[in-house]
Amino acid sequence: MQLLKDRIQQDGIVMEGNVLKVDSFLNHQMDVTLFNEIGKEFARRFAGCGVNKILTVEASGIGIACITAQHFNVPVVFAKKSKTKNIAGEVYTSRVVSYTHGREYDIMVSKRFLGPADRVLLIDDFLANGAALLGLAEIVEASGATLVGAGIVIEKGFQPGGKLVRDRGIRVESLAVIASMDEKNGITFA
Amino acid sequence: MQLLKDRIQQDGIVMEGNVLKVDSFLNHQMDVTLFNEIGKEFARRFAGCGVNKILTVEASGIGIACITAQHFNVPVVFAKKSKTKNIAGEVYTSRVVSYTHGREYDIMVSKRFLGPADRVLLIDDFLANGAALLGLAEIVEASGATLVGAGIVIEKGFQPGGKLVRDRGIRVESLAVIASMDEKNGITFA
């Protein structure tokens, strides 16, 4: 998606430790006009797949998922990272080991909001090591729902997540795949 | 907002400890069609106020804020929650004491995304004790931005937050104000 790649080149900042900072438009400040184009593109790529639910994980996936959901006319469910008083009863859970943040956490979705009748599209802002995405896929599988695929805004193609997820037979559509990046030479797309 | 009140009556569940569970359409599963009507209503109430930025806090405010932002044609910034002390300098921070979840946390916003040129509308799903909203207001004040007001989906009118925030001179527009609720008699709106 050229509009997105141009924006990453223009406003993305490459930092030490394979960190791409896109917090001016994607995951801290959010450009909803760009999100709308992203949503349109996901809807084009997953047209005719019968998607009836979008699943993401808090926090930075939620905005993209909600705007994208308008183009599918379906509800969004976001997996929660910690148990709160607002989730009672039975939940699907999965353990996520985040290499990026160096910690482990559980994600959970109420059993009331995923089931065998659902055809689920996963949405997230980044795909790097694939930990969060595989956790979401595990939850979809446990629920008996059908996993249609995953729509990713930025995939770090030089990290193992993309291969790992596709090797499980999951369709992944990434709108920008970064082949390489460093502080000196900037970003190269695949 | 009648559509919202009807939905709360239909799908909201009153639980022990003043908990109103609306996770089937508001803060776990999210009905983006309803969010669109909510966004329209906020845009109507804050029309002509020159809002050029929407500020919310992760996680459940993000979806509503993004859909609402489409009706103002402005970007969203979400404050991040952190349990660890953050280094002052690059971020505005505020300490939030959450009575609902029985814990304290810091919220933070990068200084790059809020400044004196901004006219900020706060958006959140709930107003109960007002802790999160006052934290956001403190961040807006620290940045030198103008606080236009706060758009709240559900205000628990029997808890002190609404009065506390309005007493600070902040305009609060709540789309549904709950006067009382209990497990036996259900929900009464103000």
Short mmCIF file of all heavy atoms in Angstrom, two decimals, chain B residues 83-107:
data_model
loop_
_atom_site.label_atom_id
_atom_site.label_comp_id
_atom_site.label_asym_id
_atom_site.label_seq_id
_atom_site.Cartn_x
_atom_site.Cartn_y
_atom_site.Cartn_z
N LYS B 83 2.71 1.17 34.80
CA LYS B 83 2.80 0.95 36.24
C LYS B 83 4.14 1.45 36.77
O LYS B 83 4.34 1.55 37.96
CB LYS B 83 2.63 -0.55 36.54
CG LYS B 83 1.16 -0.96 36.55
CD LYS B 83 1.02 -2.47 36.69
CE LYS B 83 -0.41 -2.89 36.44
NZ LYS B 83 -0.52 -4.32 36.16
N THR B 84 5.07 1.69 35.85
CA THR B 84 6.39 2.14 36.27
C THR B 84 6.51 3.65 36.11
O THR B 84 5.88 4.25 35.23
CB THR B 84 7.48 1.46 35.44
OG1 THR B 84 7.22 1.70 34.05
CG2 THR B 84 7.53 -0.02 35.70
N LYS B 85 7.30 4.25 36.95
CA LYS B 85 7.55 5.69 36.87
C LYS B 85 8.23 6.01 35.54
O LYS B 85 9.15 5.32 35.11
CB LYS B 85 8.48 6.12 38.01
CG LYS B 85 7.84 6.99 39.10
CD LYS B 85 7.15 8.21 38.59
CE LYS B 85 6.65 9.16 39.64
NZ LYS B 85 5.28 9.58 39.39
N ASN B 86 7.78 7.04 34.88
CA ASN B 86 8.39 7.41 33.62
C ASN B 86 9.33 8.59 33.78
O ASN B 86 9.13 9.45 34.63
CB ASN B 86 7.31 7.73 32.60
CG ASN B 86 6.53 6.49 32.22
OD1 ASN B 86 7.05 5.63 31.55
ND2 ASN B 86 5.31 6.38 32.72
N ILE B 87 10.34 8.60 32.95
CA ILE B 87 11.32 9.68 33.00
C ILE B 87 10.66 10.96 32.49
O ILE B 87 10.12 11.00 31.38
CB ILE B 87 12.55 9.35 32.14
CG1 ILE B 87 13.18 8.04 32.62
CG2 ILE B 87 13.57 10.49 32.17
CD1 ILE B 87 13.97 7.29 31.56
N ALA B 88 10.69 11.96 33.34
CA ALA B 88 10.12 13.25 32.95
C ALA B 88 10.96 13.86 31.82
O ALA B 88 12.11 13.52 31.64
CB ALA B 88 10.08 14.18 34.15
N GLY B 89 10.34 14.74 31.07
CA GLY B 89 11.08 15.40 30.00
C GLY B 89 10.41 15.18 28.66
O GLY B 89 9.99 16.12 28.02
N GLU B 90 10.29 13.90 28.28
CA GLU B 90 9.73 13.62 26.96
C GLU B 90 8.22 13.44 26.98
O GLU B 90 7.57 13.50 25.95
CB GLU B 90 10.37 12.35 26.39
CG GLU B 90 11.83 12.56 26.02
CD GLU B 90 12.44 11.35 25.32
OE1 GLU B 90 11.76 10.31 25.25
OE2 GLU B 90 13.57 11.47 24.86
N VAL B 91 7.67 13.18 28.16
CA VAL B 91 6.24 12.90 28.26
C VAL B 91 5.57 13.73 29.35
O VAL B 91 6.21 14.14 30.32
CB VAL B 91 5.97 11.40 28.55
CG1 VAL B 91 6.40 10.51 27.38
CG2 VAL B 91 6.66 10.95 29.82
N TYR B 92 4.28 14.01 29.14
CA TYR B 92 3.45 14.54 30.22
C TYR B 92 2.89 13.34 30.98
O TYR B 92 2.43 12.39 30.35
CB TYR B 92 2.29 15.35 29.67
CG TYR B 92 2.70 16.54 28.86
CD1 TYR B 92 2.46 16.58 27.48
CD2 TYR B 92 3.31 17.65 29.45
CE1 TYR B 92 2.83 17.68 26.72
CE2 TYR B 92 3.69 18.75 28.69
CZ TYR B 92 3.45 18.76 27.34
OH TYR B 92 3.82 19.84 26.59
N THR B 93 2.94 13.37 32.29
CA THR B 93 2.39 12.25 33.05
C THR B 93 1.41 12.73 34.11
O THR B 93 1.43 13.89 34.54
CB THR B 93 3.49 11.44 33.77
OG1 THR B 93 4.09 12.28 34.75
CG2 THR B 93 4.55 10.94 32.81
N SER B 94 0.55 11.81 34.51
CA SER B 94 -0.37 12.09 35.59
C SER B 94 -0.64 10.78 36.33
O SER B 94 -0.72 9.72 35.71
CB SER B 94 -1.67 12.69 35.04
OG SER B 94 -2.57 12.92 36.09
N ARG B 95 -0.75 10.86 37.64
CA ARG B 95 -1.03 9.68 38.45
C ARG B 95 -2.55 9.51 38.58
O ARG B 95 -3.26 10.45 38.93
CB ARG B 95 -0.38 9.87 39.83
CG ARG B 95 -0.74 8.89 40.93
CD ARG B 95 -0.43 7.45 40.63
NE ARG B 95 0.94 7.16 40.22
CZ ARG B 95 1.87 6.65 41.00
NH1 ARG B 95 1.59 6.42 42.27
NH2 ARG B 95 3.07 6.37 40.54
N VAL B 96 -3.03 8.31 38.25
CA VAL B 96 -4.45 8.00 38.35
C VAL B 96 -4.67 6.94 39.42
O VAL B 96 -4.02 5.90 39.40
CB VAL B 96 -5.00 7.49 36.99
CG1 VAL B 96 -6.45 7.04 37.13
CG2 VAL B 96 -4.89 8.57 35.93
N VAL B 97 -5.57 7.22 40.36
CA VAL B 97 -5.93 6.23 41.37
C VAL B 97 -7.30 5.67 40.97
O VAL B 97 -8.31 6.35 41.07
CB VAL B 97 -6.00 6.86 42.78
CG1 VAL B 97 -6.37 5.81 43.81
CG2 VAL B 97 -4.66 7.50 43.14
N SER B 98 -7.31 4.44 40.49
CA SER B 98 -8.54 3.83 40.01
C SER B 98 -9.25 3.11 41.15
O SER B 98 -8.76 2.12 41.67
CB SER B 98 -8.23 2.84 38.89
OG SER B 98 -9.38 2.04 38.62
N TYR B 99 -10.41 3.64 41.52
CA TYR B 99 -11.21 2.97 42.56
C TYR B 99 -11.83 1.70 42.00
O TYR B 99 -11.96 0.70 42.68
CB TYR B 99 -12.32 3.90 43.07
CG TYR B 99 -11.78 5.13 43.73
CD1 TYR B 99 -11.57 6.30 43.02
CD2 TYR B 99 -11.45 5.12 45.10
CE1 TYR B 99 -11.06 7.44 43.63
CE2 TYR B 99 -10.93 6.24 45.71
CZ TYR B 99 -10.74 7.40 44.97
OH TYR B 99 -10.23 8.51 45.57
N THR B 100 -12.22 1.76 40.71
CA THR B 100 -12.87 0.63 40.06
C THR B 100 -11.99 -0.61 40.10
O THR B 100 -12.45 -1.71 40.35
CB THR B 100 -13.19 0.97 38.58
OG1 THR B 100 -13.76 2.28 38.54
CG2 THR B 100 -14.16 -0.02 37.98
N HIS B 101 -10.70 -0.42 39.78
CA HIS B 101 -9.81 -1.58 39.69
C HIS B 101 -8.88 -1.71 40.90
O HIS B 101 -8.04 -2.60 40.94
CB HIS B 101 -9.00 -1.51 38.40
CG HIS B 101 -9.86 -1.50 37.17
ND1 HIS B 101 -10.00 -0.40 36.38
CD2 HIS B 101 -10.67 -2.45 36.65
CE1 HIS B 101 -10.85 -0.68 35.39
NE2 HIS B 101 -11.27 -1.91 35.53
N GLY B 102 -9.03 -0.79 41.85
CA GLY B 102 -8.24 -0.87 43.07
C GLY B 102 -6.75 -0.80 42.85
O GLY B 102 -5.98 -1.55 43.43
N ARG B 103 -6.31 0.09 41.95
CA ARG B 103 -4.87 0.22 41.75
C ARG B 103 -4.50 1.62 41.28
O ARG B 103 -5.37 2.40 40.89
CB ARG B 103 -4.35 -0.83 40.76
CG ARG B 103 -4.99 -0.72 39.39
CD ARG B 103 -4.68 -1.96 38.55
NE ARG B 103 -5.55 -2.01 37.39
CZ ARG B 103 -5.22 -1.53 36.20
NH1 ARG B 103 -4.08 -0.93 35.99
NH2 ARG B 103 -6.07 -1.62 35.17
N GLU B 104 -3.24 1.91 41.35
CA GLU B 104 -2.72 3.19 40.87
C GLU B 104 -1.87 2.97 39.63
O GLU B 104 -1.19 1.96 39.52
CB GLU B 104 -1.81 3.82 41.95
CG GLU B 104 -2.55 4.39 43.12
CD GLU B 104 -1.60 5.15 44.05
OE1 GLU B 104 -0.51 5.55 43.60
OE2 GLU B 104 -1.97 5.34 45.21
N TYR B 105 -1.92 3.91 38.73
CA TYR B 105 -1.03 3.83 37.56
C TYR B 105 -0.77 5.24 37.04
O TYR B 105 -1.50 6.18 37.36
CB TYR B 105 -1.64 2.93 36.48
CG TYR B 105 -3.04 3.33 36.04
CD1 TYR B 105 -3.23 4.23 35.00
CD2 TYR B 105 -4.16 2.81 36.68
CE1 TYR B 105 -4.52 4.59 34.61
CE2 TYR B 105 -5.44 3.17 36.30
CZ TYR B 105 -5.61 4.06 35.26
OH TYR B 105 -6.87 4.43 34.87
N ASP B 106 0.28 5.36 36.26
CA ASP B 106 0.56 6.63 35.60
C ASP B 106 0.01 6.58 34.18
O ASP B 106 0.03 5.52 33.54
CB ASP B 106 2.07 6.89 35.54
CG ASP B 106 2.64 7.23 36.90
OD1 ASP B 106 1.94 7.95 37.65
OD2 ASP B 106 3.75 6.80 37.23
N ILE B 107 -0.52 7.70 33.71
CA ILE B 107 -0.83 7.80 32.29
C ILE B 107 0.15 8.81 31.69
O ILE B 107 0.60 9.72 32.37
CB ILE B 107 -2.29 8.21 32.02
CG1 ILE B 107 -2.64 9.54 32.70
CG2 ILE B 107 -3.24 7.11 32.48
CD1 ILE B 107 -4.03 10.06 32.32
#
